[in-house]
Amino acid sequence: MADYAWRFLNSWAVRALCYPRTVDDYLDALQPLWSVDEIRARIHCIKRETADAASLYLQPNRNWHGHRAGQHVELTVEIEGVRHSRCFSLSSSPTDPLLRITIKRNGRVSRYIVERAQAGERVVISPPRGSFVLPQPRPAKLLMISGGSGITPMLAMLRQLQAERYQGDIMLLHYDAHPQALIGHAELLELRKGLPGLRLQLCFTREGLGDSARFSAAQLETLVPDAADRAAFLCGPAGLMEAVRRHHLERPFRALSTEQFVLPALNVRGEGEVLFKRSGVVASGASAGSLLELAERSGLTPRYGCRTGICHTCKHRIIEGWVRDVRSGEVRRARDEDLQLCVHAAAGDVQLDL
Amino acid sequence: MKVTAASHQAVNRLSQEQIEEFGRELDALRAEVMGTLGKRDAAYIRRILGVRRSAELAGRLLLWIGFLPPAWLAGTALLSLSKILENMEIGHNVMHGQWDWLNDPKLNSRTYEWDSVCPSEQWRHSHNYIHHTYTNVMKLDRDLGYGILRVNRERPWHPVFLFQPVYNWILALLFEWGVALHDVEFENIGKTKSKDEAKAQLRQIVRKARRQVLKDYLLFPALAGPFFLYTLAGNFTANLIRNLWAYMIIFCGHFTEGVAVFRKEDLDNETRGQWYLRQLLGSSNLEGGRVFHILTGHLSHQIEHHLFPDMPSHRYSEIAPRVRALCAKYGLPYNSGSLWRQFGSVIKRIHRYALPPRPMSAESSVRAH
Ligand SMILES: Cc1cc2nc3c(=O)[nH]c(=O)nc-3n(C[C@H](O)[C@H](O)[C@H](O)COP(=O)(O)OP(=O)(O)OC[C@H]3O[C@@H](n4cnc5c(N)ncnc54)[C@H](O)[C@@H]3O)c2cc1C
């Protein structure tokens, strides 16, 4: 969309004409990528990386204003008519012509993207988020520790550094189950050509090497003796991240930045802990009949109406958690949806945006 | 539960256990439908959104050349259609949370703003909470006669009601504005509502109304340049037609002959089964074809809507035969009729209850338990 067209459509007058609908509601009818509010992107192509992973190359509309290598976006796709949003790191650098995200098949959304998404499909993305980025000025020595799909933000950083002709020393310590699972191997070899200081250390944990392939202080000592002099970047499965963080407490790196893909495992035993994220309050789910009561007992004052599930006044966003519908007794895992607090109780750990 | 309608003798015969069983069967029906929501439902609402948008765009375009009489008529009709779909099938139902499961920010019950001078936030309070929770309970359900009409015998008579056959029609014509002022609860100011609260609500209404008026009565007419007045008249008429239609459908939901009203005491320890029963006895349906149901926002299935306010509306038509069969099984009334029969009975009641009560021979009340 041309600049003047965008500015016209985003003007006070056009918005007033569309009210209470938005300009986008009408633009949708013309061209699904046009928008004055949202970052929408077309899937330009899909490249299979491994048996379990694929990269989406995205052509965003003009509302995208660039990112920094290492940041992630929230991607929204429509599956069977229902929208789902998940975070994905960008594996492309800001210097690349298209955005790229690389996704490993796991649950509902990732499976859909890897198996069924098609070139030409429209997705919605958030502005870039996160502070998992290379510091300015660039450190002389870097250590990147990643596991599985955690390599994606590293790929973005490496591409960025290559474009900058970075001359420093980079150690990429990557963990994966086996070589076939490794995402972006050819790309890493390619990157090495432009990055004279890049060394790759790949550890395969399911190749019969037992625990020796896993992260440990001893392993790090052998593979990266000067780890303490390096600015470290960490992204991977919860177990790996935990081990590296613990190590950092005892023998600190020069600096440590982390990006967490998965929340620590949620409990499904009885009633769990409820975290009211915005207010920073934690309460035990067992101590009240509903999440609404629990919030009130914890000193919060969410809006409510009927308190019996009719009016939907008390709806709040659940980030993730196990909930029980007190009307039917049904227990389910909920993620990123609006939940009626008055008729749901915690059936495991719950994080609420409240 | 005291049901004050002669037609409801059947309620009398049900035991408490039967009422709970009735409730459990409805719970199961709800769970069954909600468990199968998916692609088909998403396609339905998106199609309605598309039809509404096309109707509006075509209507606005035709009204732009509204100096040609056929264009004016067609434009006004299409704009009315768009406004009716938006208020009834989209806005009202989205705000009930019927489409929240789609996770679409444009169809979110907490943030949806409808094409009406009534601010959505106030509507959600007066309608979703007050009306749907206290349905047909005297002194609690403020939708029962909207404060200014006497639509049932139980409401004490006052000389002002002598004029209700007239001001009823004023309300009909200005329905959108009546709805907008509804949640301010003028009768409660100084009692359960503070002056400041009411003032804040009024300010919110003015802000919303200003934008609605600006769009329909200034900006779109201005775009038509010399034909300002044609567009203005078309927009005004479309809003009026929407008002009359919404008024008629909504009045047929709870003010028809045979609908029961309840007392505050009936709410004491009300069980799930009794709640369902109250919703059933307090609502009445309209019969018609598919398009008619869509144009009423499926409020023609008022009974099903009151039993399951957050079920996607187009499912009401599908489950109605089963709800009806369930009522037959328990010997419960299922109040349903054509628009003309039902609306005729509403108008009759508005006239009848304008007059002071005749001395009663036998008070026909039944007890449900
Ligand atoms: C900042 C950030 C960046 C990220 N970047 C990437 C990236 O670059 N690449 C990438 O692939 N991923 C990335 N992720 C992870 C991604 O956001 C998703 O969490 C991941 O793809 C899984 O989502 P899903 O919908 O496929 O799985 P979900 O359906 O949400 O399931 C998540 C996990 O829970 C399990 N689960 C689901 N339902 C149940 C149940 N009922 N009982 C038991 N277990 C269940 C699934 O098996 C799965 O292991 C990132 C996450 C964050 C927070």
Side-chain angles (χ1 to χ4, degrees):
Chain A
M1 201 190 322
D3 204 46
Y4 63 85
W6 188 90
R7 230 172 286 150
F8 166 71
L9 290 170
N10 197 29
S11 65
W12 170 88
V14 175
R15 281 183 185 275
L17 286 170
C18 295
Y19 183 83
R21 303 279 60 78
T22 63
V23 180
D24 281 5
D25 286 322
Y26 297 93
L27 282 181
D28 270 345
L30 300 173
Q31 223 282 20
L33 271 193
W34 286 0
S35 164
V36 295
D37 296 321
E38 276 183 333
I39 306 169
R40 298 178 181 171
R42 202 175 71 85
I43 302 180
H44 181 268
C45 60
I46 302 175
K47 188 175 144 237
R48 190 151 285 277
E49 298 282 351
T50 67
D52 264 344
S55 285
L56 297 189
Y57 288 81
L58 302 173
Q59 174 77 63
N61 67 8
R62 50 161 297 142
N63 297 329
W64 176 259
H65 299 302
H67 71 289
R68 286 188 288 162
Q71 287 190 302
H72 62 268
V73 294
E74 192 181 87
L75 175 88
T76 303
V77 291
E78 208 174 284
I79 308 176
E80 307 268 288
V82 181
R83 288 186 175 213
H84 298 271
S85 303
R86 296 287 187 271
C87 290
F88 294 100
S89 296
L90 289 157
S91 58
S92 56
S93 101
T95 53
D96 291 324
L98 292 171
L99 301 181
R100 181 182 66 178
I101 55 174
T102 305
I103 297 170
K104 193 166 173 180
R105 179 164 43 196
N106 183 349
R108 179 174 216 152
V109 175
S110 56
R111 191 175 316 131
Y112 168 81
I113 297 176
V114 173
E115 293 171 5
R116 288 167 50 203
Q118 298 282 333
E121 207 170 299
R122 187 192 83 167
V123 297
V124 176
I125 57 181
S126 70
R129 295 177 183 164
S131 51
F132 188 64
V133 292
L134 292 161
Q136 211 48 282
R138 306 294 188 222
K141 283 175 151 195
L142 298 170
L143 170 60
M144 297 178 175
I145 307 176
S146 57
S149 58
I151 195 152
T152 52
M154 311 303 181
L155 286 173
M157 291 185 189
L158 291 172
R159 297 180 73 81
Q160 168 80 46
L161 292 168
Q162 188 198 36
E164 290 172 7
R165 302 180 189 286
Y166 175 77
Q167 296 299 314
D169 183 323
I170 313 166
M171 177 72 182
L172 174 66
L173 181 55
H174 179 76
Y175 296 83
D176 236 312
H178 38 72
Q180 294 87 323
L182 177 60
I183 294 168
H185 195 195
E187 186 174 335
L188 287 170
L189 299 178
E190 191 63 29
L191 278 164
R192 229 169 26 180
K193 291 187 193 151
L195 287 167
L198 172 62
R199 274 179 302 148
L200 305 177
Q201 185 65 58
L202 305 173
C203 305
F204 298 109
T205 53
R206 302 238 177 97
E207 292 289 273
L209 297 172
D211 279 351
S212 69
R214 294 186 177 275
F215 176 88
S216 68
Q219 189 205 43
L220 191 66
E221 182 63 33
T222 352
L223 297 178
V224 198
D226 60 350
D229 300 337
R230 293 171 181 266
F233 292 83
L234 170 65
C235 181
L240 172 68
M241 299 205 48
E242 192 47 45
V244 176
R245 280 209 190 93
R246 264 202 312 271
H247 178 85
H248 177 63
L249 288 179
E250 283 161 25
R251 275 188 267 166
F253 304 105
R254 175 161 288 240
L256 176 66
S257 317
T258 61
E259 180 80 313
Q260 185 109 30
F261 280 9
V262 270
L263 300 167
L266 292 165
N267 297 310
V268 197
R269 51 170 164 75
E271 320 277 330
E273 295 245 290
V274 179
L275 168 65
F276 297 101
K277 201 149 187 193
R278 213 175 274 216
S279 26
V281 177
V282 180
S284 161
S287 61
S290 72
L291 288 168
L292 178 60
E293 284 170 30
L294 188 67
E296 288 168 344
R297 263 185 232 176
S298 311
L300 310 178
T301 51
R303 292 168 51 108
Y304 66 85
C306 67
R307 303 184 79 99
T308 52
I310 304 163
C311 74
H312 292 245
T313 306
C314 64
K315 271 193 163 169
H316 272 89
R317 199 121 195 113
I318 176 168
I319 299 160
E320 180 148 27
W322 287 88
V323 293
R324 180 163 45 84
D325 186 324
V326 298
R327 295 167 296 187
S328 62
E330 181 208 359
V331 171
R332 66 186 174 93
R333 182 168 170 275
R335 184 170 176 171
D336 275 326
E337 64 178 79
D338 287 337
L339 192 76
Q340 288 174 280
L341 299 186
C342 68
V343 287
H344 285 94
D349 287 350
V350 172
Q351 290 191 23
L352 284 169
D353 188 23
L354 178 71
Chain B
M1 185 187 290
K2 187 180 180 208
V3 185
T4 47
S7 61
H8 295 156
Q9 295 293 350
V11 179
N12 228 359
R13 291 194 293 271
L14 289 185
S15 69
Q16 186 54 43
E17 182 40 43
Q18 281 173 310
I19 293 175
E20 291 322 303
E21 187 53 34
F22 172 68
R24 278 192 290 275
E25 292 206 47
L26 286 172
D27 274 340
L29 180 57
R30 176 178 191 277
E32 183 191 320
V33 174
M34 300 307 256
T36 60
L37 295 182
K39 212 171 170 173
R40 176 166 74 92
D41 306 270
Y44 171 77
I45 191 64
R46 300 225 159 95
R47 180 145 174 247
I48 293 289
L49 291 176
V51 170
R52 187 215 69 81
R53 182 175 56 199
S54 307
E56 185 193 358
L57 290 174
R60 301 263 188 215
L61 215 62
L62 284 166
L63 283 173
W64 193 52
I65 48 167
F67 57 91
L68 301 169
W72 190 89
L73 284 174
T76 303
L78 284 166
L79 190 60
S80 309
L81 171 68
S82 150
K83 283 179 178 282
I84 284 171
L85 281 177
E86 199 285 336
N87 280 190
M88 316 278 290
E89 183 64 337
I90 304 169
H92 165 263
N93 293 334
V94 166
M95 286 189 283
H96 265 296
Q98 293 181 5
W99 299 103
D100 281 355
W101 57 277
L102 289 177
N103 221 356
D104 186 338
K106 294 196 186 314
L107 295 173
N108 183 303
S109 63
R110 287 194 296 165
T111 54
Y112 191 88
E113 196 59 59
W114 62 347
D115 186 19
S116 153
V117 290
C118 173
S120 288
E121 193 186 332
Q122 295 186 31
W123 169 262
R124 282 190 282 267
H125 176 260
S126 71
H127 182 79
N128 292 9
Y129 170 35
I130 302 292
H131 170 59
H132 273 270
T133 308
Y134 303 117
T135 313
N136 281 28
V137 177
M138 303 275 304
K139 299 198 179 89
L140 288 180
D141 182 2
R142 298 185 59 259
D143 281 21
L144 208 55
Y146 295 96
I148 56 174
L149 294 170
R150 180 170 181 258
V151 288
N152 50 282
R153 189 185 55 236
E154 292 76 3
R155 182 165 188 174
W157 184 80
H158 184 280
V160 77
F161 292 132
L162 284 172
F163 301 100
Q164 74 177 21
V166 178
Y167 63 66
N168 164 52
W169 289 108
I170 299 174
L171 173 65
L173 293 170
L174 298 175
F175 197 58
E176 171 187 26
W177 298 90
V179 167
L181 294 172
H182 189 46
D183 199 47
V184 182
E185 308 183 6
F186 290 100
E187 75 278 15
N188 291 336
I189 296 176
K191 292 177 222 156
T192 53
K193 177 161 247 162
S194 75
K195 263 200 182 126
D196 286 344
E197 231 178 308
K199 265 191 211 150
Q201 281 191 308
L202 282 169
R203 270 196 298 273
Q204 193 184 30
I205 295 165
V206 169
R207 269 198 306 276
K208 175 90 195 266
R210 225 171 21 210
R211 303 183 75 166
Q212 292 291 109
V213 168
L214 177 75
K215 168 185 69 165
D216 278 342
Y217 301 136
L218 201 65
L219 292 181
F220 274 111
L223 279 181
F227 310 117
F228 185 97
L229 286 178
Y230 292 93
T231 306
L232 179 83
N235 292 353
F236 179 80
T237 311
N239 276 322
L240 194 71
I241 290 174
R242 183 272 323 272
N243 279 356
L244 288 171
W245 179 253
Y247 154 88
M248 195 155 74
I249 299 305
I250 290 168
F251 269 44
C252 286
H254 302 286
F255 305 161
T256 55
E257 195 61 44
V259 154
V261 295
F262 306 87
R263 303 158 308 160
K264 269 185 188 173
E265 302 88 273
D266 295 328
L267 291 177
D268 296 341
N269 305 315
E270 185 175 57
T271 63
R272 183 121 184 103
Q274 288 168 334
W275 183 82
Y276 273 133
L277 193 56
R278 177 158 58 83
Q279 301 301 327
L280 167 71
L281 300 176
S283 311
S284 55
N285 279 7
L286 299 171
E287 281 156 16
R290 176 143 190 265
V291 173
F292 172 75
H293 289 312
I294 293 173
L295 289 177
T296 67
H298 287 91
L299 289 183
S300 47
H301 289 295
Q302 191 76 232
I303 293 175
E304 287 73 19
H305 174 56
H306 264 264
L307 296 173
F308 313 117
D310 56 5
M311 179 184 287
S313 59
H314 73 133
R315 295 287 195 126
Y316 295 152
S317 315
E318 293 173 26
I319 61 161
R322 294 173 64 184
V323 173
R324 196 170 195 154
L326 205 60
C327 292
K329 176 176 161 189
Y330 288 88
L332 291 166
Y334 183 90
N335 186 338
S336 181
S338 71
L339 176 62
W340 303 117
R341 204 193 84 191
Q342 298 286 51
F343 189 62
S345 84
V346 171
I347 294 301
K348 216 159 82 191
R349 280 159 69 101
I350 287 173
H351 284 87
R352 187 193 321 146
Y353 296 123
L355 302 173
R358 281 161 285 179
M360 271 295 170
S361 48
E363 186 72 30
S364 50
S365 319
V366 283
R367 292 198 81 78
H369 59 90

